[in-house]
Amino acid sequence: MSLEQAIRLLIIGIEVGSIYALVALSVVLLYRTSRVLNFGQGELALLACFLTFTLTSRMGVPLWLSFLAGLAASAVAAGAFYFFLMRRAKAQDPMGLLILTLGFSLFANGGLSLLFGVDNKQMPGFVDVIETWQIGNFSISKNSVLVAVAGLILMIGLYFFVQKSKIGLAMRAVSQNPEVAKALGIPVNVVLVSSWAVAAILGSAAALLLAPAISLNPSLMLDPLNKGFAAAVVGGMTSLPGAVLGGYLLGIIEAYVGNFVPAFKLALAFILVILVLVFRPHGLLGEKETRRA
Amino acid sequence: MLKLENIEAGYTRQTIVLRGVSLEVPQGKIVTLLGANGAGKSTTLKTIMGLIDDEPRKGSVTFQGNTLTHKDTESIARSGIALVPEGRGMFKDLTVFENLMLGAYHHTATAQSTLQDVLKRFPRLEERKNQHAGTLSGGEQQMVAIGRALMSRPKLILLDEPSLGLAPKFVQEVFNAIASINAEGVSVMLIEQNAKKALEIADYAYVLEHGRIVLEGTGAELRENENVKELYLGMTHVPDSGVGRFRRKRRWN
Ligand SMILES: Nc1ncnc2c1ncn2[C@@H]1O[C@H](COP(=O)(O)OP(=O)(O)OP(=O)(O)O)[C@@H](O)[C@H]1O
Ligand SMILES: [Mg+2]
């Protein structure tokens, strides 16, 4: 493998890895605050994509504005789903809630397919996906750079939100000890609605960054969601830095392995998951024991 | 100031923990609630804070004339009641500073000046401000828990066994802190295993057994009560006309 090719694969790995990392972050964020996995994450992201697509390609709204509207819509939908359904569900055990999100996912996927169609749509992007920059005789895809940089900015934004904002502090408190947080008068519901909304924004941003390079249809998020879950497990489910590490690691390994043994690419994420579960069940950066007694 | 009337509460529909508890914390006083393990002391505090869904099933809680029964915990806390939970309730991975600031969630305007007061009261927290709460000693964690409760400038503070598991030096420090907080006008409801010390600083005391108040009186009265002496103060004289419900379960000190 030439150096050039090695670098090209690395860039692809980082690009795909940022998508996985964003999805993994949304999984971990939600898991930490509400101890639940949301199978509906993909449909929330689809909602953002379809709305963005409709606004910009059908109605001529500027792309950036459609983009923000898409993110906002999925945030609101996620917050509402938590507030009106998850919170009130009679079955408050993890399995019952998981099934509820699964039901939501199937229902929403059907609804979105009905509304927007199942055909492949060309999602507009901020840059043309085939354009490249030439550096000497080395060409680099503008879209790859955009995805990687946008992903990085979102992750830094999330870091400041979680570490420095008041609601971020409250999120961390709720994730560590919800009963004490409640007793202190912290509005636990507001915190949980916010974490559902932020998780939806992360997943939707991943979808919006991904869609222009492939085509937009109701199964857009199937693969990235599987990989994002895998990255979250590899990183350790409860660790936000772990999710980022897991995402990039999976993206990069996939890029190299896929280049040489394409058939192996699909199974790779799950081989990684199995290795982690066998040798390091708490993940690369996760906590060894569960904090909640 | 705080009044519980015939409270019945539990955790599941089939079981009952509090079987008609009535008690009162007058303004500016220290009231202590004694009782064996499992008597329902913590449950009483959780019921006051509205931490158990749909409880109490009977009776009422009023605070400064307003009913708190079935209100949500957030508004109960905002009405001026702060809880120092059993086991200190640290957010272990958050710093001392973050733990304290969470206590002032609805009091942003006064947070900085209250923080200074708290750090003056517990100077050793100042040095450990940026340390994760989980790495503090038990005594230091208890100071964080009390300080965090004070951050909301409460009118009433509920303390659930604040001296549990602490070395004697820290126990004394905690009791001194409670007395001085009370001297500044904050009413106190104190649950303690250390009945001797609790009865010394309490204006009034209740004894809870199996979810019922079986005895009440001023601190001095209870200190002289033969049953209390035997069961809670660990004195050896056994009265032959003991109240039937009192069972020897455990001795303190
Ligand atoms: N979360 C819960 N779910 C179900 N039952 C509970 C729960 N918490 C306490 N109980 C039960 O309620 C009863 C009273 O418990 P509580 O914690 O109020 O006792 P306590 O007087 O505080 O005892 P201790 O001195 O050991 O702290 C016990 O029988 C206990 O098993
Ligand atoms: Mg208790």
Side-chain angles (χ1 to χ4, degrees):
Chain A
M1 177 163 56
S2 68
L3 180 65
E4 232 175 65
Q5 196 189 6
I7 294 175
R8 195 182 332 269
L9 288 174
L10 182 66
I11 291 170
I12 292 174
I14 291 174
E15 176 190 359
V16 177
S18 352
I19 304 281
Y20 296 167
L22 288 174
V23 175
L25 279 171
S26 77
V27 170
V28 169
L29 188 77
L30 210 54
Y31 183 71
R32 283 193 42 162
T33 48
S34 35
R35 302 280 139 172
V36 105
L37 296 177
N38 178 12
F39 280 124
Q41 199 69 259
E43 280 64 35
L44 291 165
L46 276 181
L47 171 68
C49 287
F50 280 127
L51 193 70
T52 303
F53 172 82
T54 307
L55 284 175
T56 187
S57 296
R58 298 277 149 84
M59 297 164 72
V61 177
L63 181 60
W64 66 270
L65 199 60
S66 318
F67 201 91
L68 290 180
L71 289 181
S74 85
V76 169
F81 175 66
Y82 168 74
F83 194 79
F84 293 110
L85 282 170
M86 295 295 281
R87 193 175 63 98
R88 286 159 188 237
K90 285 275 180 277
Q92 280 296 331
D93 56 302
M95 191 50 85
L97 294 176
L98 194 73
I99 300 293
L100 192 59
T101 72
L102 187 63
F104 168 71
S105 159
L106 296 172
F107 173 77
N109 202 290
L112 288 168
S113 304
L114 209 65
L115 260 172
F116 296 98
V118 295
D119 56 312
N120 287 327
K121 297 180 171 66
Q122 181 50 54
M123 179 82 169
F126 289 102
V127 294
D128 196 323
V129 287
I130 54 166
E131 270 179 42
T132 56
W133 278 305
Q134 287 292 329
I135 307 169
N137 56 357
F138 187 79
S139 66
I140 173 170
S141 151
K142 284 189 183 176
N143 191 56
S144 299
V145 175
L146 174 82
V147 171
V149 171
L152 201 61
I153 290 172
L154 279 164
M155 289 175 218
I156 294 170
L158 180 71
Y159 171 83
F160 279 101
F161 174 73
V162 170
Q163 291 295 324
K164 305 289 175 201
S165 78
K166 190 173 165 184
I167 187 97
L169 175 61
M171 274 182 193
R172 285 182 290 147
V174 169
S175 84
Q176 281 189 37
N177 198 333
E179 184 164 80
V180 172
K182 199 172 155 199
L184 290 176
I186 290 166
V188 176
N189 280 330
V190 174
V191 168
L192 288 173
V193 166
S194 315
S195 59
W196 277 75
V198 172
I201 288 175
L202 291 167
S204 301
L208 287 163
L209 289 171
L210 172 72
I214 54 182
S215 43
L216 170 58
N217 64 47
S219 51
L220 169 76
M221 286 306 280
L222 273 182
D223 182 65
L225 214 56
N226 282 336
K227 304 295 175 58
F229 274 117
V233 172
V234 169
M237 257 348 257
T238 53
S239 161
L240 294 171
V244 174
L245 179 67
Y248 282 127
L249 209 61
L250 182 57
I252 291 168
I253 295 177
E254 230 185 47
Y256 285 105
V257 173
N259 186 58
F260 298 110
V261 209
F264 206 54
K265 198 175 157 184
L266 250 160
L268 194 72
F270 298 96
I271 291 172
L272 262 184
V273 166
I274 289 165
L275 286 178
V276 164
L277 289 181
V278 170
F279 293 106
R280 208 180 153 83
H282 53 287
L284 297 179
L285 301 181
E287 296 282 322
K288 211 164 209 141
E289 70 276 77
T290 55
R291 208 175 285 115
R292 258 198 227 183
Chain B
M1 172 177 233
L2 178 78
K3 199 167 179 186
L4 272 64
E5 283 174 295
N6 294 312
I7 290 293
E8 289 185 17
Y11 294 90
T12 56
R13 213 174 284 240
Q14 298 82 16
T15 59
I16 183 161
V17 176
L18 302 181
R19 304 158 194 267
V21 170
S22 299
L23 56 81
E24 208 172 328
V25 182
Q27 169 91 45
K29 301 289 187 206
I30 299 181
V31 171
T32 187
L33 181 60
L34 307 175
N37 291 110
K41 305 181 298 295
S42 300
T43 306
T44 305
L45 296 193
K46 284 189 208 166
T47 306
I48 296 170
M49 292 307 294
L51 285 167
I52 317 171
D53 285 340
D54 303 324
E55 299 286 350
R57 56 196 71 165
K58 281 207 187 113
S60 69
V61 181
T62 49
F63 180 59
Q64 297 190 310
N66 302 316
T67 171
L68 297 184
T69 329
H70 302 298
K71 281 210 178 146
D72 61 302
T73 303
E74 190 191 340
S75 53
I76 293 171
R78 292 179 81 159
S79 71
I81 307 180
L83 172 71
V84 177
E86 188 168 26
R88 307 186 270 270
M90 286 296 97
F91 299 115
K92 294 200 175 99
D93 294 344
L94 304 188
T95 64
V96 168
F97 175 73
E98 287 171 328
N99 268 276
L100 292 174
M101 290 314 275
L102 282 161
Y105 198 81
H106 295 294
H107 301 79
T108 324
T110 53
Q112 280 309 324
S113 69
T114 317
L115 181 67
Q116 294 315 315
D117 294 348
V118 167
L119 294 177
K120 215 174 290 161
R121 186 185 299 279
F122 300 118
R124 69 171 75 218
L125 297 186
E126 172 84 61
E127 306 151 30
R128 310 199 179 274
K129 238 167 96 176
N130 298 314
Q131 201 169 318
H132 282 187
T135 65
L136 300 181
S137 77
E140 289 161 349
Q141 290 189 2
Q142 194 63 61
M143 291 173 190
V144 175
I146 296 174
R148 188 175 61 186
L150 291 175
M151 288 297 289
S152 65
R153 296 183 169 271
K155 299 178 194 124
L156 168 68
I157 186 165
L158 312 174
L159 298 126
D160 198 341
E161 306 198 15
S163 75
L164 191 69
L166 302 190
K169 174 174 151 292
F170 274 117
V171 171
Q172 193 51 50
E173 222 172 309
V174 164
F175 275 93
N176 289 346
I178 294 169
S180 93
I181 289 164
N182 177 248
E184 287 165 23
V186 180
S187 312
V188 174
M189 180 162 173
L190 173 65
I191 288 179
E192 256 305 329
Q193 299 271 351
N194 194 329
K196 186 165 171 287
K197 280 210 149 34
L199 289 174
E200 271 167 26
I201 76 168
D203 297 294
Y204 204 78
Y206 294 89
V207 176
L208 189 68
E209 281 288 321
H210 300 292
R212 287 194 180 89
I213 301 287
V214 293
L215 195 63
E216 63 180 277
T218 63
E221 278 167 11
L222 262 68
R223 272 204 303 267
E224 295 310 314
N225 181 290
E226 293 299 331
N227 284 308
V228 173
K229 270 189 189 169
E230 191 214 339
L231 288 155
Y232 296 101
L233 300 175
M235 297 182 186
T236 42
H237 169 70
V238 182
D240 19 45
S241 62
V243 179
R245 269 199 293 274
F246 277 58
R247 268 173 230 154
R248 185 187 277 109
K249 274 199 171 167
R250 175 170 163 181
R251 290 168 182 272
W252 288 277
N253 303 327

